[in-house]
Amino acid sequence: MEQFVWTDDLNLGIDIIDAQHRRIVDYIAEIGQAIEQQDAALVFDVMERLKDYTLDHFSFEEQLMQKAGYVLCEAHQAKHRRFEDKVERLSDSLRQGDDPFGVARRIRNTLMAWLIQHIKHEDIDYVPVVKKVLAKEQSWISGALNRIFNGGVTQS
Ligand SMILES: [Fe+2]
């Protein structure tokens, strides 16, 4: 059975990133609720929030990897761009009038599967180097969070 909820094995052990990943999973779960309730407006609404938040999260993660001097940063960024393309195509398909619940199921299934494998196989790899930078760059982190998320996210 496919998974659409947060489970502890998705934790990287970096609270600030785990909280952001968890929020993306919450959006995906909300898409599931929109399908259950057959609420098309909610599908559109969640899709917009999911897209905006994911872009901000990637931006934060990429700046953090750069700051940390993570060697696979560019390859990782390329993965993010491909995911953004996926999200963009799904969003276009919604806007073009495709069945919103069909698109919603694709959003839920493909995005969740991608996210799980990305966290477990790619994000996990930057953990040691990013942990080091987090320990000594607290003011840079706060500044980056405010800049990227417009102060709309907490560090917990
Ligand atoms: Fe990532």
Side-chain angles (χ1 to χ4, degrees), residues 21 57-58 61 65 76 80 114 118 122-123 126:
H21 284 157
H57 162 67
F58 284 166
E61 210 181 68
M65 287 189 286
H76 197 125
H80 286 173
W114 184 91
H118 181 69
E122 285 140 7
D123 287 342
Y126 67 56

Side-chain angles (χ1 to χ4, degrees), residues 28-85:
I28 295 172
E30 214 179 330
I31 292 268
Q33 286 161 19
I35 298 168
E36 261 172 48
Q37 295 160 8
Q38 293 287 292
D39 185 341
L42 186 59
V43 173
F44 280 85
D45 177 53
V46 179
M47 186 65 193
E48 281 312 300
R49 284 186 278 137
L50 173 66
K51 202 164 71 173
D52 284 353
Y53 190 78
T54 302
L55 293 183
D56 287 350
H57 162 67
F58 284 166
S59 180
F60 177 71
E61 210 181 68
E62 286 166 23
Q63 289 183 37
L64 198 53
M65 287 189 286
Q66 271 166 6
K67 185 84 181 164
Y70 176 57
V71 286
L72 297 176
C73 192
E74 268 183 42
H76 197 125
Q77 283 175 331
K79 302 266 184 188
H80 286 173
R81 295 294 84 76
R82 281 207 288 278
F83 184 74
E84 286 169 10
D85 288 347

